[in-house]
C-alpha cells in the first residue's frame, strides 16, 4: 500500500482507502444526495454517513425507513405538515411506550 493510500499530510489520523461495490442505481442515489445536501464529494458524504451510523448504533433501520418515508412524502407533497409541538408530543409518546 502506498503513502497516497494510507497517509495523512495534514497531521490528522491515518486514513486507509477501502473499496466498496454498490449497484449503479444506489450509487446514483448517493451521488444525487451528496450533491443535494451540499457535501464537497461522495467520499465526504460516505464518511459522514458511516460515522453517524457508528456513533448512533441504536438508531434502527425502522428509524431510517420512517425518515425516508417522511422525506418522500415531503418531496411529493403527499404529507401533512405538523407543528414542532406535535412532533415533540409524538416523540414523548414513543419514549413512554418503551
Amino acid at each position: 500500500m502506498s503513502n497516497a493510500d494510507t497517509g495523512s499530510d495534514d497531521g490528522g489520523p491515518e486514513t486507509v482507502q477501502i473499496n466498496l461495490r454498490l449497484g449503479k442505481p444506489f450509487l446514483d442515489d448517493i451521488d444525487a444526495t451528496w450533491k443535494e445536501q451540499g457535501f464537497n464529494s461522495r467520499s465526504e458524504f460516505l464518511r459522514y454517513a458511516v460515522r453517524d451510523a457508528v456513533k448512533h448504533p441504536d438508531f434502527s433501520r425502522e428509524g431510517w425507513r420512517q425518515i425516508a418515508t417522511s422525506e418522500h412524502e415531503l418531496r411529493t407533497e403527499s404529507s401533512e405538515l405538523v407543528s414542532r409541538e406535535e412532533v415533540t408530543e409524538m416523540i414523548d409518546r414513543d419514549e413512554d411506550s418503551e
Side-chain angles (χ1 to χ4, degrees):
M1 202 176 285
S2 72
N3 287 340
D5 292 337
T6 61
S8 177
D9 295 336
D10 63 2
E14 178 183 24
T15 60
V16 177
Q17 181 178 346
I18 64 168
N19 293 316
L20 179 65
R21 293 179 187 261
L22 302 170
K24 179 72 169 118
F26 185 46
L27 185 59
D28 291 343
D29 287 345
I30 289 171
D31 286 341
T33 301
W34 74 260
K35 291 172 184 174
E36 205 172 87
Q37 292 186 6
F39 285 88
N40 293 320
S41 67
R42 180 191 294 159
S43 292
E44 180 186 14
F45 171 74
L46 290 172
R47 279 190 298 273
Y48 176 86
V50 170
R51 187 178 305 116
D52 194 47
V54 169
K55 286 188 176 192
H56 306 287
D58 294 335
F59 196 72
S60 68
R61 286 183 178 212
E62 177 61 22
W64 285 115
R65 188 194 66 74
Q66 290 173 358
I67 288 172
T69 299
S70 297
E71 181 71 19
H72 172 74
E73 289 174 349
L74 287 171
R75 288 178 185 214
T76 60
E77 298 180 3
S78 62
S79 68
E80 179 181 318
L81 294 179
V82 295
S83 70
R84 183 174 191 271
E85 291 78 19
E86 290 171 308
V87 170
T88 302
E89 288 175 15
M90 287 185 267
I91 291 170
D92 289 343
R93 279 195 303 258
D94 287 345
E95 287 175 355
D96 291 341
S97 66
E98 292 177 0

